[in-house]
Structures are given as C-alpha cells and as structure tokens.
C-alpha cells in the first residue's frame, strides 16, 4: 500500500487526479457492488463554511438522482453542523434507498455522527472517529461582535454551575455578571431544545437501522444515545469515539472493520488521500462527487495576514550611510 505522503505528493495535475479519483470510485464500487458518493468537508482550515447545513441538500439530491438500485455507500468526512440539515439528508436517503452505509475514513463529528447513526452499517478503520452528538450553536458577544461556536451542553452546564456557586456564595455574583450579560436568556431554552432534538433523532434512527437486529432495539438505542450525547464524561466535544469504542464499549455489531478487508481498505485509503489533496489544493470547503458525472464543490477565500515575528534576541539598528556634511559657509566680507 502506498504511504499517505506518497499519495498526496503525486503530480498536481487536476485532470489526472480527477481521472484517478473516478477510477478509484469505480474500483470500490466493483468490489462492494454498491454505488459510492463523496461528501467531504475541509476540516483543516478554521472559519470557513465547512459545516453541515441546508445548502447540502441540493448536492445530495443531485448525487443520488443519477444512481440506480436501492443501496448506497456515502464516504463521509465532516465536522458536523445543523441537526435539522442532518434530518433532511436522512429523509432524502431513506426515501430513495433501503440500504445505506457510511464509510468514515477519518472523522464524522456532531451532526455528522448523527448521520452515521442512520446507517444500516458502518465501514470503519483504525483512523475513523465519531464524536458526541450534543449540538453546537453559534453565539455572538454583544460587546465585541465576535462569534464563536460552543457545544450546547457546555452552555447549560456552565449556567447550572454558576447558579450553584451564586447560591452557595452570593458574593461571587459580581464575578459571573459580566459573563451572564453576554448571553440571551432565550439561549438556554434553545440549547435544551437542540439537545432534545438530537437525542430523539438518534434514538429513532438507531432503533430503525443500526441496532435493528438487537434483542431489544429500543433499549439499546436509548443506551447508545445516552453515551453519545454526554460529552462531559469524555471531557471534550471533539474527543474521538474510535472503532475500538464502537465495537467493544458500545457493542455495535453492524460494523465493517476495514482491517478484515485489506484490498478494500487500500482503495478507500487511496481515495481518501486524493480527496484530502483536492480540498486542500483547490481552496474547497465542501466537496460532493460520484462516478456518474456529478461533482460539486464550495470554495472559500482566506485573507492571509503576515505578522512581524520578533527575533529571540535584540537586533542592532539598521546601518544607514552618514548624511553628507554641510558645505562650508561662503566667505563673507571681513569685519573691519
């Protein structure tokens, strides 16, 4: 198998790389007997439109309309985004296909993990990672105008901790007031509703698809959803839920471990390298493609800023040539 750096270091000819990517898609389809579509976001550049949102619905629709049959594989790589957009994509896929698999070569976090729970089967490798399903929302500081994306659980737990601290010691109210003034009171209800929505959707999908063969799918779906919805126990919203955790802790059986399928693993690894090279090299924030003539990308532009970085030691001032000396004053009349 070629090493990753060898794959991404191939000659940067877009047409040749496109042809190779298409060839890999067709070879994967020939091996699995299932059509493959790509939905990949650029997760290596901050502050670009890479999250899963309602603008993804039309590309997904275009990708699936050109596919025949009732099964589909989706190669998924995403930081997550809107639970409502994930719900629409699941409805779109389930209206069209009876068998849906998600291939996750690298990462599918937050709302992308929600998408993964709607699969009949997951295709994973040692490098694959899911994440907690508690939603993230964008909040704006009314004083600075700056926005940030924060997990809803972190907001709710922070508010509860503040209430407990103030109740125990009213003198700390002055410390919390500047922080609480930045938050709209409606935000807490928004966070609660967002959590309920993500948990209800994931429970429904797990019961209907990924855990449908269990003795008690409803109880198992509730158990797995509870694990996925509490990032507090994992100490980070972005901490990965790996293949080992999915198989050995969550005991999910409908998982294809790519280590057991070395030829398919090699093809998917190579395709993933080609995808990552493409999004990094072309300024792409989100990328959609299949082997049937449909491809779509969202581009972004980042204004580069060059900062002056001081040396770790003082530098002497620059040397300039000395200014020419003033010409001598013209001789005047001698004093009497």
């Amino acid at each position: 198998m070629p090493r990753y750096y060898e794959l991404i270091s191939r000659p940067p000819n877009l047409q040749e790389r496109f042809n190779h990517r298409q060839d890999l898609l067709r070879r994967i389809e020939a091996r699995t007997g299932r059509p493959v579509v790509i939905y990949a976001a650029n997760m290596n550049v901050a502050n670009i439109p890479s999250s899963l949102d309602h603008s993804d619905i039309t590309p997904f629709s275009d990708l699936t309309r050109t596919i025949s049959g009732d099964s589909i594989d989706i190669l998924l790589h995403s930081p997550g985004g809107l639970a409502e957009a994930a719900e629409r994509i699941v409805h779109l896929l389930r209206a069209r296909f009876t068998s849906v698999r998600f291939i996750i070569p690298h990462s599918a976090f937050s709302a992308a993990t929600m998408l993964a729970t709607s699969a009949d089967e997951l295709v994973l490798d040692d490098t694959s990672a899911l994440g907690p399903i508690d939603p993230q929302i964008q909040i704006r500081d009314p004083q600075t105008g700056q926005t940030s994306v924060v997990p809803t659980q972190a907001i709710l737990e922070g508010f509860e901790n503040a209430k407990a601290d103030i109740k125990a010691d009213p003198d700390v109210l002055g410390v919390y007031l500047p922080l609480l003034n930045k938050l709209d009171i409606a935000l807490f209800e928004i966070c609660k509703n967002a959590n309920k929505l993500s948990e209800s959707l994931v429970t429904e999908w797990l019961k209907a698809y990924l855990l449908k063969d269990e003795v008690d799918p409803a109880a198992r779906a509730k158990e797995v959803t509870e694990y996925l919805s509490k990032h507090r126990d994992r100490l980070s919203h972005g901490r990965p839920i790996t293949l080992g955790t999915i198989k050995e802790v969550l005991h999910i059986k409908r998982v294809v471990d790519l280590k057991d399928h070395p030829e398919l693993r090699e093809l998917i690894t190579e395709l993933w390298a080609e995808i990552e090279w493409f999004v990094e090299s072309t300024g792409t924030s989100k990328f959609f493609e299949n082997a049937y003539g449909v491809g779509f990308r969202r581009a972004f532009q980042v204004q580069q800023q060059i900062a002056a970085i001081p040396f770790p030691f003082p530098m002497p001032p620059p040397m300039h040539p000395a200014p020419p000396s003033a010409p001598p004053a013209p001789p005047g009349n001698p004093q009497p």
Side-chain angles (χ1 to χ4, degrees):
M1 178 188 296
R3 294 184 179 182
Y4 176 76
Y5 75 86
E6 293 174 348
L7 296 173
I8 64 173
S9 300
R10 287 175 175 167
N13 183 299
L14 284 175
Q15 185 62 52
E16 290 181 4
R17 303 294 286 255
F18 167 77
N19 293 340
H20 184 53
R21 201 167 58 242
Q22 290 286 297
D23 178 63
L24 288 168
L25 282 171
R26 287 188 287 268
R27 290 165 64 189
I28 291 171
E29 292 183 357
R31 182 159 293 279
T32 63
R34 302 166 62 93
V36 182
V37 301
I38 297 169
Y39 171 51
N42 188 333
M43 294 176 61
N44 296 331
V45 180
N47 301 319
I48 61 173
S50 61
S51 63
L52 193 157
D53 57 31
H54 295 296
S55 70
D56 299 334
I57 307 304
T58 299
F60 255 104
S61 178
D62 287 349
L63 287 174
T64 57
R65 283 179 182 176
T66 55
I67 291 174
S68 59
D70 59 2
S71 64
I72 189 171
D73 285 353
I74 298 125
L75 190 149
L76 175 65
H77 179 68
S78 170
L82 298 177
E84 296 87 348
E87 182 181 21
R88 292 182 65 182
I89 292 171
V90 171
H91 285 325
L92 186 154
L93 293 172
R94 286 298 171 178
R96 175 69 178 76
F97 303 101
T98 58
S99 176
V100 176
R101 298 198 308 184
F102 284 96
I103 302 170
I104 303 171
H106 196 285
S107 303
F109 293 145
S110 194
T113 295
M114 293 178 63
L115 270 183
T117 64
S118 73
D120 294 287
E121 197 171 47
L122 297 174
V123 181
L124 305 174
D125 205 346
D126 289 339
T127 55
S128 306
L130 303 180
I133 60 169
D134 63 307
Q136 300 180 77
I137 62 172
Q138 191 175 72
I139 60 174
R140 179 179 179 276
D141 188 324
Q143 298 175 354
T144 66
Q146 293 182 337
T147 60
S148 57
V149 177
V150 183
T152 54
Q153 267 191 32
I155 295 173
L156 293 173
E157 290 170 6
F159 183 61
E160 292 301 321
N161 290 338
K163 287 199 303 183
D165 289 347
I166 293 169
K167 184 176 181 180
D169 182 4
D171 290 339
V172 303
L173 177 61
V175 176
Y176 279 110
L177 272 179
L179 303 175
L180 296 174
N181 285 338
K182 296 181 179 181
L183 302 177
D184 188 330
I185 193 66
L187 178 65
F188 303 111
E189 286 303 315
I190 293 172
C191 290
K192 291 177 183 178
N193 291 337
N195 282 347
K196 290 177 182 178
L197 175 62
S198 65
E199 291 173 15
S200 65
L201 289 174
V202 168
T203 301
E204 174 189 340
W205 296 336
L206 284 170
K207 181 174 64 174
Y209 306 116
L210 198 57
L211 301 175
K212 61 187 175 184
D213 296 334
E214 301 282 342
V215 175
D216 189 344
R220 284 282 288 127
K222 184 177 180 181
E223 174 190 341
V224 174
T225 299
E226 184 176 357
Y227 182 93
L228 295 176
S229 62
K230 298 191 183 308
H231 87 254
R232 175 181 59 185
D233 297 339
R234 303 183 60 77
L235 304 180
S236 168
H237 183 83
R239 191 175 180 187
I241 298 171
T242 63
L243 171 60
T245 300
I246 292 167
K247 292 173 64 176
E248 298 164 15
V249 177
L250 298 178
H251 304 293
I252 295 175
K253 301 172 184 176
R254 298 177 71 89
V255 174
V256 175
D257 187 339
L258 284 173
K259 293 194 299 297
D260 299 330
H261 305 270
E263 294 177 349
L264 179 60
R265 186 188 199 189
E266 181 174 349
L267 291 172
I268 289 174
T269 298
E270 190 163 356
L271 176 60
W272 167 242
E274 289 292 340
I275 292 168
E276 189 161 32
W277 176 87
F278 178 79
V279 298
E280 290 290 325
S281 302
T282 60
T284 296
S285 59
K286 282 190 281 192
F287 177 50
F288 308 79
E289 190 172 77
N290 65 20
Y292 306 94
V294 178
F296 181 84
R297 61 179 282 264
R298 295 195 184 279
F300 70 91
Q301 291 184 341
V302 176
Q303 182 177 0
Q304 294 185 345
Q305 296 181 348
I306 301 176
I309 302 176
F311 284 93
F313 49 84
M315 295 292 290
M319 299 294 293
H320 297 291
S325 56
N333 294 329
Q335 294 295 326

